[in-house]
Amino acid sequence: MRSYTPNSPQAAARVVAMALLADGHLSMTELHAVDPLKVTRCLGLDASHFADVLEGFCQDLLVSHRGPWTGSSQLDEHIRLELLHEITHPEIQQQVMNMCAALIQSDGHVADNEMLMLDALAGAWPHRMATKDLRTTAPASLGVH
């Protein structure tokens, strides 16, 4: 996996990409929710740079993944934690967690692997909002700016 500067827009965007791919495919409904939720603006990236990070993450997954593809939630725990630990700033962690939850919920369904991804975020960033709260919070009220 490529590395990004800690707390950079690219590092945060990759975590969002992990959430988008958590259930094993890129949902067009979730991808189309990126603009209305102002994800790229909140990350400090334009749409093309976000697309570059998403594509780069997909390429890294293809190179590094062994066995059947079931989603980024099944990423090797050591690698996943390494990527999540590139985000150390509490405000960025909260913002990224909010974006991930809103995008995952945007299609009206939270798949098991998506919940695993949210649980991984909560485990890596335990002082952030618990995933049980994310299950019951409507995307519009998550505070994504």
Side-chain angles (χ1 to χ4, degrees):
M1 293 278 164
R2 61 195 82 196
S3 62
Y4 293 113
T5 303
N7 299 311
S8 68
Q10 294 81 6
R14 180 171 41 204
V15 175
V16 173
M18 288 172 57
L20 287 170
L21 293 165
D23 61 357
H25 72 281
L26 187 57
S27 162
M28 291 310 292
T29 302
E30 292 172 358
L31 192 57
H32 287 290
V34 168
D35 280 342
L37 292 171
K38 299 177 177 64
V39 169
T40 56
R41 189 186 80 180
C42 289
L43 292 170
L45 295 172
D46 62 33
S48 67
H49 285 111
F50 178 75
D52 290 344
V53 172
L54 179 59
E55 182 178 340
F57 181 61
C58 290
Q59 290 170 353
D60 289 348
L61 288 172
L62 288 172
V63 170
S64 67
H65 191 73
R66 295 173 185 88
W69 173 248
T70 57
S72 64
S73 66
Q74 302 300 312
L75 192 62
D76 176 78
E77 185 176 350
H78 174 74
I79 293 171
R80 182 178 52 240
L81 286 174
E82 194 174 290
L83 302 180
L84 295 178
H85 288 152
E86 285 185 346
I87 309 299
T88 59
H89 193 280
E91 288 178 20
I92 298 172
Q93 290 174 343
Q94 186 66 60
Q95 185 178 37
V96 168
M97 185 174 274
N98 290 348
M99 284 185 268
C100 291
L103 287 168
I104 284 172
Q105 294 177 10
S106 67
D107 64 359
H109 173 72
V110 178
D112 290 343
N113 282 346
E114 291 173 325
M115 199 67 238
L116 289 172
M117 180 65 208
L118 294 175
D119 287 343
L121 290 174
W125 303 333
H127 54 286
R128 302 297 102 214
M129 182 187 302
T131 56
K132 68 181 177 108
D133 298 329
L134 296 174
R135 290 180 190 152
T136 59
T137 305
S141 66
L142 288 171
V144 177
H145 304 270

